[in-house]
Amino acid sequence: MADSLLPKRLKELRKINNFSQDYVAEVIGKTRQTYSHYETGRRKPSTQTLYMLASLYNVSADDLLHLSIEFDKDVFYEAPGPSQSSDDLSDFLEYFNTPRNQKKYQYHSNLEKELLYYFEKLSDPDKKELIEISKIKARKKSQ
């Protein structure tokens, strides 16, 4: 059954992304031991945890559960440097994993999602300033 392949896929995705078990566990709010049990098949992640893992690995939860995703094992993927604290990343993943926001932002790239997430936290004057900066950058790029 597909469930027996999930631990293998989780381990494979973690290694391809060059993440440690400690890092993944911290992002999803679990202990390293609990996450390790997900990779060995001793425990099954909850639905919420599966959504967080899918977001972390930039795959849909459906792809993660059906194990239909493919990737090139010959390509080395650099782990991204953390751009925010683990708590902030956890808040970010939780925000985009709510059903309302999943539907609302389903066609946005990860960069667009990150921009929108932080944009909503700004004051109105800061939002206007950021829009002006974006306009200047866009004009420079088109020249």
Side-chain angles (χ1 to χ4, degrees):
M1 176 149 199
D3 282 350
S4 64
L5 296 176
L6 181 61
K8 180 181 175 189
R9 186 51 57 110
L10 288 173
K11 184 175 184 177
E12 196 170 39
L13 284 167
R14 179 180 58 78
K15 287 187 174 211
I16 282 175
N17 284 281
N18 200 25
F19 294 151
S20 67
Q21 285 186 342
D22 288 322
Y23 175 78
V24 174
E26 189 174 338
V27 168
I28 64 172
K30 305 290 182 190
T31 65
R32 188 209 50 82
Q33 183 178 12
T34 298
Y35 179 74
S36 175
H37 287 176
Y38 297 156
E39 286 190 4
T40 61
R42 293 175 91 185
R43 293 185 73 177
K44 291 183 181 184
S46 68
T47 303
Q48 180 180 359
T49 302
L50 282 172
Y51 278 114
M52 292 179 81
L53 288 164
S55 292
L56 176 65
Y57 295 126
N58 197 27
V59 297
S60 71
D62 186 57
D63 283 340
L64 189 60
L65 291 171
H66 289 103
L67 306 167
S68 59
I69 55 177
E70 295 295 327
F71 39 79
D72 188 350
K73 294 180 183 179
D74 296 327
V75 175
F76 177 75
Y77 297 89
E78 275 295 320
S83 59
Q84 61 253 358
S85 71
S86 294
D87 288 340
D88 204 13
L89 180 57
S90 181
D91 290 345
F92 176 81
L93 291 174
E94 185 176 320
Y95 179 82
F96 284 106
N97 282 325
T98 61
R100 187 181 123 239
N101 288 335
Q102 274 187 329
K103 193 167 194 165
K104 183 177 176 182
Y105 298 111
Q106 68 182 339
Y107 299 111
H108 291 80
S109 71
N110 285 342
L111 284 174
E112 291 168 331
K113 287 178 184 178
E114 188 172 9
L115 178 65
L116 292 169
Y117 175 75
Y118 288 107
F119 188 81
E120 287 184 11
K121 292 183 172 204
L122 297 174
S123 66
D124 283 342
D126 287 341
K127 286 178 182 179
K128 289 177 183 178
E129 181 181 351
L130 188 56
I131 289 170
E132 290 306 313
I133 291 169
S134 298
K135 287 178 184 178
I136 292 168
K137 291 260 187 202
R139 282 187 213 117
K140 284 183 179 179
K141 185 177 179 179
S142 66
Q143 291 178 352

